Amino acid sequence: MHRKAGDRTPRTASPRPLLLLDVDGVLNPFVAPACPPGYREHGFFPDDDPPVRLNDSHAPWPALLSARFDLVWATGWEDEANTYLAPHFNLPPLPVIRFPPVPFAPAAKVPPIAAFTGDRPAAWVDDAHTAEARLWAESRTARTLLVATDPARGLTEVAVRTLLRWRGNPTPL
């Protein structure tokens, strides 16, 4: 946008990228055969087996990422992510993308994510990116990054560094 001399119209900053966070397989390595070292099991949902597994040493990562992205829950947990996980990670309540009722196929995440992100740059961290997710990411005109996690390991330092590099902030962890 070119501005004429003396134009006092405020510039609109381009929006920060969205960071779409899944929970199971990302923050919660739910398919690990046993609770991984460094993780603790939480009985948020008494009927779940295994219980939710969270790593307290990862707590600084969402805060670090929230300084560079607008964080959004992209999980079947929906509002329960704000109830149980936002306080655990010292985050304010985050926006929630609404998905079909659980259980749903991983590909069913793509239409609500596409509608939510619109034309904003977005990074999506998930353990189950489908062919539909990859096609969506490739077809967007806005910058888009898919970060895959191993559902038995969850979010790693390498994934966090990848997000920071993509954002242009290769901050040491």
Side-chain angles (χ1 to χ4, degrees):
M1 169 172 119
H2 295 287
R3 297 163 60 103
K4 294 180 183 177
D7 183 359
R8 302 253 183 237
T9 307
R11 290 185 196 195
T12 55
S14 60
R16 294 185 333 155
L18 296 167
L19 177 53
L20 313 174
L21 281 173
D22 185 25
V23 173
D24 292 327
V26 176
L27 299 174
N28 171 29
F30 73 107
V31 301
C35 190
Y39 285 79
R40 285 187 308 122
E41 294 185 335
H42 299 265
F44 300 142
F45 310 103
D47 294 335
D48 275 5
D49 186 33
V52 175
R53 299 164 172 169
L54 301 174
N55 190 325
D56 293 338
S57 70
H58 294 174
W61 294 351
L64 176 67
L65 293 167
S66 71
R68 291 155 178 83
F69 293 89
D70 290 340
L71 273 55
V72 178
W73 294 121
T75 172
W77 281 49
E78 293 188 348
D79 294 312
E80 290 175 326
N82 280 324
T83 299
Y84 298 107
L85 300 179
H88 181 85
F89 290 110
N90 296 313
L91 293 171
L94 302 177
V96 173
I97 298 175
R98 303 288 172 198
F99 294 124
V102 175
F104 57 84
K109 283 186 168 184
V110 176
I113 283 176
F116 187 92
T117 58
D119 61 357
R120 284 186 68 180
W124 177 10
V125 184
D126 204 301
D127 65 306
H129 289 125
T130 61
E132 292 86 354
R134 289 185 290 280
L135 180 61
W136 167 78
E138 291 166 6
S139 68
R140 297 186 79 224
T141 55
R143 286 184 74 211
T144 305
L145 175 68
L146 300 181
V147 176
T149 60
D150 175 345
R153 293 192 61 215
L155 190 65
T156 63
E157 185 175 325
V158 169
V160 173
R161 287 182 188 280
T162 298
L163 290 162
L164 294 172
R165 267 194 315 276
W166 183 79
R167 183 64 177 103
N169 300 106
T171 305
L173 296 179

